[in-house]
Amino acid sequence: MSSYKFLDQFPQPLKESIIQNRCLPIIGSGFSLNAEIPEGKRMLAWEALGRAFANEMPGYVYSNTIDAISAYEHAYSRPVMAEKMKDFLLSGQIRPASTHEAFCRLQFDIVCTTNFDHLLEDGYRKISKPCRAIISESQLSVAPMKDELTLLKFHGDIDHPDRMVATEEDYDKFLDQNPMLATYLSNLLITRTPLFIGYSLDDDDFRQIWQVIKSRLGKMTRQGYVIKVNCSDTEKSRYERRGVKVVNIEGDPKDYPQILTKLFKEIKAYWDDNVKTYSDNTAMSELAMPSDYQTRLCYFSVPFQQLSIYKDYFFPLAVRYGFVPITADSVMSVGDNIMANISSIISKSEYFFLDLEAKNAAYDWGQILSQGKLKSNMFILRTLDVGLSNSNSFYTCYKPEDFIDNPLPVVEVAEKWFSTMAEKLTSKTAVAEPERLLKKSEYKAAVISAVVQLEVALRHAIKKKTNDSVFAKGFFELVRIAFEHKIIKEEDLVKTREWTNLRNRLVHTEMDMSKEDAERTVTEILVFTKKFIGS
């Protein structure tokens, strides 16, 4: 198992809630301190915001943030208060930095925030992830689009001053005036674990939102967690008296942005490695491998209505050249978190076939680029009316109008691309991969990898002795064909099937491998596999 510096400090139930799509992150003002801020400016957390308003009123004695904002509004009016709020929050001047970007890459489908700024929306826009901000009850009746993240702005935002929850009157009237928003949040938290990020105990937003949860759910409130860095025992006890457990990350509070960035990247890696997916055994073998393993997965982002064409013409072509075709619709994730599913598949894939007519092509493309995948490993199929910047960086092909009736011209172009990509999958590197995994003590992964390399070698060995359709066959059928063509002997049938059954159990069950068993099995498979390399 991988080791994580910060994530290993999370309790296991919280980690399970995250990867099973049963966690609701709730973002507070402290998180905005991680923004990219103009030189000479500073971002204000909740307490500092109140004192800034207090300093604008001669003779006012500061007591708390809500009182200061309320007094300012009473003295100068709501519009002037909203304008001053924009000034203090550096509206239009701040940008999401690395911490926001790392958080936005996480596969949550719903995020809640009490912040007035637009850093989260800008962060999602930066990585091309669709985001729908909800600030009013009327928006709740409109269902989100596929792959669209819902951002619940519980206390409104600076562009809608009439809906901001900032003064005493706002807080007092909020539940009465917004019962559906409170109910919506309560319903989410019936099955989701709240994870507070960027809050302190003195934060009025934190106290109110937690009170909504406890008043609505009572004893059935799920365990809440808050992320803190180097939290004192006194502060930790105060949180826990309120029913919130502290995830206390060891480190210097001055390094809060860097610590959070690293933590979010660890959560992303952990999520990608542990999301449960169900597909054919070959694809599952690739998905089960560690994050540093170079898989043979080729992700197809294609129109659903034309999927049968791709399965008939392009999937066998991909398999012929040693790749494993996979689509978002061919697998299912626990919790039906489509975004987590797609993100996990893309993170494990090395090659990409994108038909820009697909409904979710823009989202998939944004995910691929944001994850730093090689542009040279992308095949782009586009129509004449679709523009494409930096087209020379990709392998592109125009999609003819009669593609549905005659896809063969595109098949010919795609075959050249697959042939070029196949040159990267050298036999020497492939055979070395199981041994590398053994040295990393990834025994289960090493055995799976060895069987995968055997499958590749067998396909290569029979490539010149059968037609294309064989390459879409399963491994058992592949072994039978290899036997019929006298590539393997009768006595080899038993052991190859034993290895395949072992691979399937390792992929689909909690079965593990000891060091001794893994080393023996990998050695046997590689010795057998090397007979076919180069044949």
Side-chain angles (χ1 to χ4, degrees):
M1 292 294 291
S2 300
S3 177
Y4 302 95
K5 181 177 180 181
F6 300 122
L7 185 59
D8 284 346
Q9 299 175 49
F10 274 43
Q12 188 60 30
L14 176 56
K15 290 193 287 187
E16 291 177 359
S17 291
I18 291 173
I19 64 172
Q20 292 174 5
N21 196 30
R22 295 204 311 262
C23 178
L24 179 68
I26 304 175
I27 308 300
S29 62
F31 192 63
S32 296
L33 300 179
N34 305 302
E36 182 180 303
I37 304 169
E39 187 175 353
K41 303 283 187 177
R42 73 184 185 97
M43 203 63 189
L44 302 178
W46 186 246
E47 177 73 11
L49 179 65
R51 293 190 178 279
F53 270 104
N55 292 337
E56 295 289 320
M57 295 178 286
Y60 174 78
V61 178
Y62 177 79
S63 59
N64 60 66
T65 299
I66 291 181
D67 187 78
I69 298 175
S70 302
Y72 189 92
E73 181 191 85
H74 178 74
Y76 304 115
S77 79
R78 182 82 170 191
V80 173
M81 182 274 287
E83 292 167 356
K84 183 60 67 174
M85 184 75 76
K86 279 193 171 187
D87 290 341
F88 286 149
L89 296 182
L90 306 179
S91 179
Q93 302 178 57
I94 53 176
R95 299 288 183 270
S98 58
T99 307
H100 280 84
E101 185 173 340
F103 174 80
C104 290
R105 291 189 190 281
L106 297 177
Q107 302 95 307
F108 296 114
D109 57 349
I110 300 178
V111 174
C112 178
T113 182
T114 51
N115 292 347
F116 300 137
D117 58 53
H118 299 291
L119 286 169
L120 287 172
E121 294 97 312
D122 292 342
Y124 287 117
R125 191 177 301 111
K126 186 176 181 180
I127 64 169
S128 301
K129 181 182 288 188
C131 169
R132 179 184 67 145
I134 291 181
I135 61 169
S136 68
E137 295 183 337
S138 61
Q139 295 174 275
L140 295 176
S141 60
V142 180
M145 300 292 289
K146 181 181 178 182
D147 305 334
E148 186 176 52
L149 177 135
T150 296
L151 178 63
L152 177 60
K153 306 199 77 171
F154 199 61
H155 286 166
D157 64 27
I158 52 179
D159 284 344
H160 301 84
D162 57 323
R163 298 189 182 278
M164 286 172 54
V165 181
T167 67
E168 290 175 349
E169 185 178 7
D170 296 333
Y171 278 91
D172 291 342
K173 292 182 177 180
F174 178 77
L175 293 181
D176 290 335
Q177 294 182 344
N178 299 276
M180 291 179 64
L181 274 180
T183 299
Y184 177 71
L185 176 62
S186 301
N187 288 339
L188 286 175
L189 291 166
I190 290 175
T191 57
R192 300 195 181 212
T193 299
L195 177 61
F196 293 94
I197 306 172
Y199 285 96
S200 71
L201 279 169
D202 297 325
D203 195 324
D204 296 288
D205 283 342
F206 169 81
R207 293 203 299 272
Q208 196 213 32
I209 203 168
W210 190 237
Q211 184 58 39
V212 169
I213 296 170
K214 294 184 70 176
S215 65
R216 293 300 180 96
L217 301 180
K219 292 183 178 180
M220 295 306 295
T221 301
R222 297 176 69 87
Q223 178 64 63
Y225 297 89
V226 61
I227 296 176
K228 304 294 290 185
V229 174
N230 199 27
C231 182
S232 68
D233 290 339
T234 300
E235 187 179 15
K236 182 178 179 181
S237 296
R238 291 177 64 199
Y239 271 111
E240 295 190 349
R241 287 199 304 270
R242 291 163 173 78
V244 180
K245 287 190 177 296
V246 174
V247 180
N248 196 14
I249 304 297
E250 296 180 2
D252 190 337
K254 294 180 180 179
D255 298 327
Y256 182 70
Q258 293 80 12
I259 291 174
L260 279 189
T261 302
K262 175 65 175 175
L263 171 62
F264 295 147
K265 290 181 177 180
E266 290 182 354
I267 293 175
K268 176 69 167 59
Y270 180 81
W271 204 334
D272 286 340
D273 284 341
N274 287 277
V275 63
K276 301 298 182 182
T277 54
Y278 305 91
S279 182
D280 64 88
N281 289 325
T282 302
M284 277 298 295
S285 297
E286 299 290 324
L287 290 169
M289 303 307 290
S291 57
D292 63 345
Y293 177 84
Q294 183 173 345
T295 71
R296 300 176 296 131
L297 287 173
C298 181
Y299 177 63
F300 279 77
S301 177
V302 300
F304 179 76
Q305 298 86 344
Q306 299 172 18
L307 187 57
S308 61
I309 297 175
Y310 282 97
K311 287 185 175 181
D312 289 343
Y313 290 93
F314 294 88
F315 283 25
L317 187 64
V319 176
R320 175 180 177 181
Y321 284 94
F323 301 97
V324 180
I326 191 169
T327 68
D329 295 302
S330 66
V331 296
M332 178 179 64
S333 66
V334 171
D336 292 329
N337 188 334
I338 296 174
M339 288 190 292
N341 198 27
I342 293 176
S343 179
S344 177
I345 294 173
I346 289 176
S347 73
K348 293 295 183 71
S349 299
E350 297 290 339
Y351 307 92
F352 304 91
F353 192 113
L354 280 82
D355 183 336
L356 296 188
E357 282 193 325
K359 184 177 181 180
N360 59 327
Y363 173 76
D364 290 350
W365 194 358
Q367 283 291 298
I368 293 167
L369 295 180
S370 70
Q371 292 191 28
K373 300 296 183 178
L374 294 176
K375 294 181 180 179
S376 58
N377 287 5
M378 296 173 60
F379 184 98
I380 307 294
L381 186 60
R382 59 172 174 150
T383 57
L384 291 173
D385 60 339
V386 176
L388 183 65
S389 60
N390 299 321
S391 59
N392 292 333
S393 302
F394 312 97
Y395 200 107
T396 60
C397 174
Y398 284 106
K399 187 176 184 179
E401 294 182 359
D402 62 346
F403 173 79
I404 295 177
D405 297 323
N406 182 25
L408 293 180
V410 178
V411 171
E412 293 179 4
V413 178
E415 182 168 11
K416 294 179 182 179
W417 178 73
F418 279 119
S419 177
T420 301
M421 295 299 101
E423 295 177 4
K424 299 182 179 182
L425 295 174
T426 62
S427 299
K428 182 177 180 181
T429 301
V431 173
E433 188 62 19
E435 297 172 338
R436 184 186 72 83
L437 292 169
L438 282 177
K439 291 179 181 179
K440 288 184 60 184
S441 300
E442 297 275 4
Y443 303 125
K444 182 175 178 178
V447 174
I448 296 173
S449 175
V451 178
V452 168
Q453 305 313 331
L454 171 59
E455 181 180 350
V456 173
L458 282 176
R459 290 187 188 279
H460 179 76
I462 66 174
K463 181 177 181 180
K464 297 180 180 180
K465 297 183 180 181
T466 186
N467 57 43
D468 288 351
S469 61
V470 70
F471 294 99
K473 304 292 185 181
F475 196 15
F476 283 125
E477 184 71 5
L478 190 69
V479 170
R480 183 188 63 77
I481 295 172
F483 171 68
E484 289 178 354
H485 287 276
K486 299 181 180 180
I487 296 173
I488 63 175
K489 300 176 181 179
E490 186 173 1
E491 57 265 29
D492 297 329
L493 290 174
V494 175
K495 57 186 177 183
T496 52
R497 287 173 178 169
E498 287 179 350
W499 291 332
T500 306
N501 284 326
L502 175 61
R503 185 272 305 270
N504 293 345
R505 291 198 303 273
L506 290 172
V507 168
H508 293 293
T509 72
E510 297 300 320
M511 177 183 177
D512 214 335
M513 294 289 291
S514 67
K515 177 182 179 181
E516 294 75 16
D517 289 343
E519 289 177 341
R520 184 188 69 254
T521 304
V522 168
T523 299
E524 291 175 353
I525 296 174
L526 291 186
V527 169
F528 186 76
T529 299
K530 287 177 182 178
K531 297 178 183 179
F532 312 111
I533 299 298
S535 62

